[in-house]
Amino acid sequence: MNFKEKCYQLLKKVPKGKIVTYKSLAEALNTGAYRAVGMAMKSNPHAPKVPCHRVICSNGSLGGYTSNNRINIQKKLNLLKAEGIEIKNNKIDLGKYLYKFKE
DNA sequence: TATTTGACCAAGA
DNA sequence: ATCTTGGCCAAAT
């Protein structure tokens, strides 16, 4: 299985109402390639099956979605709100919504 | 095979 | 608080 597919599998494990950071996701993959994880997302061959909108930056910002345009960011933000996540000033409470893979 | 790039992260100024 | 720099790993060229 390629690195990307592992990212997708792991990302699909993330429950609704929770989010993960690129770093945490990479850590769960037993690696530190958080940047490569982002690449895997933009490739996104599995489209809506993989909740790439649940993946955000470690600083609490949304990161990117289809592009780095604010408009698309709004869309991602809206999806997260639909999950029950509250965003404050385009920032998310990591300690509250960050999902941990290992336990 | 080597260099560059990227939906990033952490630290320094 | 924001901006810049260096570093990380994998994929693209």
Side-chain angles (χ1 to χ4, degrees):
Chain A
M1 187 181 291
N2 290 333
F3 175 78
K4 294 192 203 170
E5 294 195 12
K6 286 206 254 182
C7 295
Y8 308 136
Q9 294 299 320
L10 197 60
L11 185 53
K12 289 194 313 199
K13 290 181 184 173
V14 180
K16 186 173 99 171
K18 289 283 185 179
I19 50 89
V20 285
T21 65
Y22 295 99
K23 191 178 198 321
S24 297
L25 190 55
E27 291 285 302
L29 290 171
N30 206 19
T31 181
Y34 29 84
R35 303 193 67 173
V37 174
M39 259 186 179
M41 294 306 105
K42 87 173 172 181
S43 298
N44 200 1
H46 297 284
K49 302 178 94 166
V50 178
C52 48
H53 58 270
R54 280 183 203 159
V55 189
I56 63 169
C57 296
S58 293
N59 66 320
S61 52
L62 299 176
Y65 191 41
T66 43
S67 172
N68 207 8
N69 295 328
R70 300 171 187 162
I71 305 171
N72 300 328
I73 295 298
Q74 287 294 338
K75 184 169 189 154
K76 180 172 179 177
L77 192 152
N78 190 11
L79 288 171
L80 291 171
K81 292 201 311 189
E83 298 285 317
I85 300 170
E86 293 187 53
I87 293 94
K88 307 183 175 10
N89 194 10
N90 294 334
K91 294 293 196 310
I92 299 178
D93 294 295
L94 292 174
K96 189 171 184 183
Y97 297 108
L98 183 61
Y99 171 73
K100 312 178 208 48
F101 295 99
K102 287 282 200 77
E103 271 95 319

